[in-house]
């Protein structure tokens, strides 16, 4: 009755003004202030809303008897969230805040450029007025940071590529991404245990080293060079690194990049906590560092210039003008620090072809040699593919394997191929591996022997030539003496 009386007696304007006044008086006397974080801000999605939602999902265990569960696209885990009008308290620096999730039905579909959801969702944050500054200055930043950390952990890795050349997508990004689901881990990687644990420790030091890099005044980045013959696990190692640290991978295709500035733009669009990979560096860029004497009219100064890359077709007049110095700036220059926590990984099959400028510490901090199967790595492969431990193999087989594995110089890729082919019959698989290793070892021994024989023959031929010369020379001397005498 009162309500209808209010409706009839007071005109709407007055009613509105009185509600506003009431709110003002209430907020004046209240010791709290409230912040609304709505899901849609105008027509844009409010990033803070998503961040808060994700952040609160991490505190789900604290309280709350009713929670909503979600599983995002590309995500491999489930996250928790607050249900309608549920509240949750959180503490930050000894300050307690309260979050409430408010869902209301949207009244009428107003005109918009894109369909809006029927529900209007938002979080309301209630804080004491005296804590207002703390919340605005650091709590919300903390929420955003925690949320992005969670997003990274929950979501599978992304693999970015610049295969589109220099063109940008609709959001102005030069990178294209796909979910990265490589199953390689340090457990499945066949290599010597000490080397593996050294790499893992190095990665861990790097990931936890923010304070150290800050203290020493270094950019928070690290470079690894993986080198070795094809099929020894260089790409698998990169995947294992990404899976271990939870970083995204940017696979940089240098042949698709035309200029140094394009390279720089690509770098600027990479996120932190990522691995930037340049595979087969010796093939994608002509990395010879040349001292060109800039003598003619250029002030006579000796300039250190680098060769421009010639396009793969060998046509020197092409548009690809990335230089080694451009690449070095990419990894090491001022631009490399725009963002933090980055790992650069270069791979090559021929380390000897690389320029020393690229290999120096600071650019490539760690050189990792991926090599042929050793006895240790062979045992890892047998365990991974067949589930066989040393005890399953037996001493005799182990001794046989150990005797030939080094001479065989087989890559882990070759060995795993034999194992995959015979994986239904495990005993046969082991026998086949032993056989393959023996055949390879024998072949290598024969090759080595024939090389040594060839060398010896050559040496002998050279020696006999020399002797012949000396004899001839002696003759000449005698002849000369003869001549003198005559
Ligand atoms: N060290 C290793 N541990 C486990 N598996 C390996 C290893 N090396 C190679 N493999 C197997 O061989 C396949 C090829 O390896 P990968 O692509 O990592 O070699 P690569 O060194 O990158 O070769 P390339 O130089 O040709 O790029 C992988 O799918 C993996 O299964
Ligand atoms: Mg590879």
């Amino acid at each position: 009755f009162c309500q209808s009386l209010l409706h009839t007696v007071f005109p709407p304007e007055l009613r509105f003004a009185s509600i506003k006044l009431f709110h003002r008086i209430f907020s004046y006397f209240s010791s709290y202030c409230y912040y609304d974080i709505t899901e849609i801000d105008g027509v844009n999605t409010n990033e803070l809303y998503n961040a808060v939602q994700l952040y609160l999902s991490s505190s789900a265990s604290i309280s709350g008897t009713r929670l909503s569960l979600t599983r995002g696209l590309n995500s491999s885990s489930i996250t928790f969230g607050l249900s309608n009008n549920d509240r949750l308290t959180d503490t930050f620096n000894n300050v307690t805040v309260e979050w409430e999730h408010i869902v209301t039905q949207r009244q009428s579909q107003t005109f918009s450029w894109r369909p809006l959801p029927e529900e209007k969702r938002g979080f309301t944050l209630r804080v004491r007025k005296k804590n207002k500054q703390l919340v605005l200055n650091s709590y919300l930043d903390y929420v955003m940071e925690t949320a992005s950390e969670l997003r990274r952990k929950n979501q599978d890795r992304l693999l970015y590529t610049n295969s589109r050349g220099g063109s940008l997508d609709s959001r102005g990004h030069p990178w294209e991404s796909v979910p990265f689901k490589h199953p390689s881990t340090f457990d499945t990687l066949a290599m010597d245990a000490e080397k593996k644990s050294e790499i893992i420790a190095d990665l861990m030091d790097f990931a936890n080293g923010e304070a150290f890099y800050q203290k020493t005044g270094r950019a928070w980045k690290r470079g690894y060079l993986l080198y070795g013959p094809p099929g020894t696990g260089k790409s698998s190692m990169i995947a294992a690194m990404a899976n271990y640290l939870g970083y995204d991978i940017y696979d940089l295709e240098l042949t698709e990049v035309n200029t140094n500035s394009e390279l720089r733009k690509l770098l600027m669009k990479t996120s932190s906590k990522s691995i930037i990979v340049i595979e087969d560096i010796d093939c994608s860029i002509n990395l010879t560092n040349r001292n060109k004497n800039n003598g003619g009219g250029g002030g006579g100064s000796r300039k250190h210039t680098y060769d421009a890359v010639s396009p793969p077709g060998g046509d020197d007049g092409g548009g690809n003008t990335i230089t080694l110095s451009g690449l070095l700036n990419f990894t090491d220059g001022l631009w490399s620090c725009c963002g933090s926590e980055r790992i650069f990984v270069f791979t090559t099959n021929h380390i000897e072809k690389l320029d020393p400028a690229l290999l120096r510490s600071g650019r490539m901090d760690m050189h990792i040699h991926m090599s042929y199967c050793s006895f240790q790595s062979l045992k890892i492969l047998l365990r991974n593919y067949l589930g066989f431990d040393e005890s399953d193999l037996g001493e005799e087989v182990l001794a046989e394997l150990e005797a030939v594995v080094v001479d065989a110089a087989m890559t882990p890729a070759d060995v795993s191929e034999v194992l995959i082919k015979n994986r239904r019959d495990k005993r046969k698989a082991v026998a086949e591996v032993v056989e393959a290793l023996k055949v390879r070892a024998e072949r290598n021994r024969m090759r080595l022997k024939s090389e040594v024989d060839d060398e010896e023959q050559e040496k002998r031929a050279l020696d006999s030539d020399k002797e012949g010369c000396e004899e001839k020379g002696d003759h000449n001397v005698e002849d000369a003496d003869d001549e003198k005498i005559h």
Side-chain angles (χ1 to χ4, degrees), residues 37-51:
I37 296 163
T38 52
E39 185 182 17
I40 311 277
D41 155 40
V43 284
N44 292 323
T45 309
N46 186 357
E47 255 191 55
L48 188 56
Y49 174 87
N50 291 335

Side-chain angles (χ1 to χ4, degrees), residues 280-422:
D280 298 321
I281 179 93
D282 53 301
C283 304
S284 41
I285 184 167
N286 181 11
L287 293 172
T288 45
N289 174 4
R290 285 192 188 164
N291 262 339
K292 281 185 186 163
N293 198 344
N294 200 18
S301 66
R302 202 162 223 271
K303 260 195 178 172
H304 205 60
T305 49
Y306 299 98
D307 250 12
V309 185
S310 43
D315 168 17
D316 277 321
N320 198 335
T321 58
I322 298 190
T323 57
L324 176 59
S325 79
L327 188 69
L328 298 184
N329 276 334
F330 176 80
T331 56
D332 197 31
L334 288 173
W335 288 99
S336 67
C337 319
C338 58
S340 57
E341 222 182 325
R342 289 228 192 79
I343 291 181
F344 290 90
V345 182
F346 288 13
T347 74
T348 179
N349 295 340
H350 305 280
I351 192 174
E352 69 284 352
K353 283 192 194 169
L354 299 187
D355 193 287
L358 197 64
L359 301 179
R360 79 147 170 82
S361 304
R363 287 192 179 112
M364 295 296 119
D365 301 293
M366 205 171 175
H367 296 187
I368 302 168
H369 184 202
M370 304 296 290
S371 186
Y372 295 115
C373 246
S374 64
F375 185 47
Q376 260 194 42
S377 40
L378 186 63
K379 280 192 283 190
I380 295 177
L381 286 177
L382 289 171
R383 190 198 66 204
N384 289 343
Y385 283 79
L386 309 177
F388 275 2
D389 279 332
E390 281 188 32
S391 54
D392 300 311
L393 289 166
E395 271 176 30
E396 209 176 300
V397 176
L398 279 172
E400 252 182 323
L401 289 172
E402 193 170 11
V404 287
V405 69
V406 174
D407 288 341
M410 260 174 104
T411 62
D414 291 340
V415 174
S416 41
E417 194 46 48
V418 177
L419 291 173
I420 289 172
K421 233 189 284 169
N422 300 290

Side-chain angles (χ1 to χ4, degrees), residues 188-190 229-236 349 381 385 412-413 416:
T188 63
L189 204 62
T232 47
K234 295 180 292 297
S235 306
S236 311
N349 295 340
L381 286 177
Y385 283 79
S416 41

Side-chain angles (χ1 to χ4, degrees), residues 192-220:
D192 293 344
E194 298 118 66
K195 217 154 81 180
K196 201 191 279 188
S197 45
E198 195 187 330
I199 296 165
I200 293 177
D202 198 76
L203 288 173
M204 231 35 238
D205 284 347
F206 172 77
N208 300 325
E210 183 171 18
F212 170 79
Y213 282 87
Q214 190 81 29
K215 198 177 74 188
T216 49
R218 293 172 68 99
W220 194 8

